[in-house]
Amino acid sequence: MSREHAKLYLHLKKWLEKAVLDYGMIAAGDRVLVGVSGGADSLALIDLLASPMIFVPEFSVAAVHVDLGFAGGEGDAELVETEIRKIVPEYVIEKTNIGPLAHSAVNRKNPCFLCSRLRRRRIFEIAAARGCNRVALAHHRDDIIETLLINMFYGREISTMMPKQSIFKGELHIIRPLAYLPEGLIKKYAGERGFPVA
């Protein structure tokens, strides 16, 4: 049975398209840059977004992988590139030293926050350079719920990640097309597709 007729694929596509339509994530002619870490969620996202849509208007997709430059991670970018190349022809593999910089002795207080911030800033720069007006991130339903609970219990506020968020005065939008999908189904799909993830 081909992927296009597989039950799980059709289920994920239905809920991905519903999220895109409910929140107006993608309009005709948009250029979407998908952040691909190499994990199950991001590989599933680029795979689903690059496949034919039924109700979503026509748009183009590119991928970006920001290699953080951690020691011992040699070959990771090449592995991610191999997978991305199978899915979309347009992609950027960006090698950086963001990881060691964020975790250096001068930044002991919150290395993960700085690492994430620097990586996201680089993705936004690449989106601008490539003419992309949407950046798609692979946060799913479980991530959104978890962020809500963390903010409630530790930040004393009711807030979470938005499925669609406008930044830079509307020049760029962050979208999360997996917002309605649970992590378990995404991981199962990644396994069925044979993505090389831990």
Side-chain angles (χ1 to χ4, degrees), residues 14-27:
K14 177 181 87 170
W15 286 101
L16 179 143
E17 288 199 33
K18 180 167 173 50
V20 168
L21 294 171
D22 283 354
Y23 289 95
M25 293 183 190
I26 299 172

Side-chain angles (χ1 to χ4, degrees), residues 181-196:
L181 290 165
E183 181 180 22
L185 286 184
I186 297 167
K187 297 261 191 281
K188 183 178 179 184
Y189 178 75
E192 286 186 3
R193 294 287 286 139
F195 295 141

Side-chain angles (χ1 to χ4, degrees), residues 84-171:
I84 291 174
R85 194 186 305 120
K86 295 175 188 174
I87 302 167
V88 292
E90 186 181 351
Y91 61 87
V92 175
I93 304 296
E94 182 83 1
K95 297 201 174 188
T96 73
N97 68 340
I98 287 173
L101 175 66
H103 289 76
S104 66
V106 297
N107 184 49
R108 292 187 185 276
K109 189 173 182 182
N110 202 342
C112 293
F113 173 79
L114 181 59
C115 191
S116 175
R117 182 179 176 141
L118 292 174
R119 177 176 55 187
R120 192 164 296 189
R121 184 173 75 183
R122 188 64 195 122
I123 290 172
F124 295 158
E125 291 169 351
I126 292 168
R130 293 271 169 160
C132 297
N133 61 333
R134 300 282 191 270
V135 170
L137 302 177
H139 299 119
H140 45 66
R141 187 177 72 189
D142 298 83
D143 291 325
I144 292 170
I145 293 169
E146 182 179 296
T147 301
L148 171 65
L149 294 174
I150 288 170
N151 288 344
M152 286 173 63
F153 291 117
Y154 295 100
R156 297 191 298 268
E157 66 178 21
I158 299 176
S159 66
T160 190
M161 295 179 283
M162 302 297 293
K164 179 184 176 186
Q165 180 183 0
S166 174
I167 58 175
F168 305 134
K169 298 180 179 178
E171 291 182 14

Side-chain angles (χ1 to χ4, degrees), residues 36-38 65 75-85 93:
V36 180
S37 66
H65 171 70
D76 290 350
E78 288 76 15
L79 183 63
V80 174
E81 182 176 6
T82 298
E83 292 305 311
I84 291 174
R85 194 186 305 120
I93 304 296

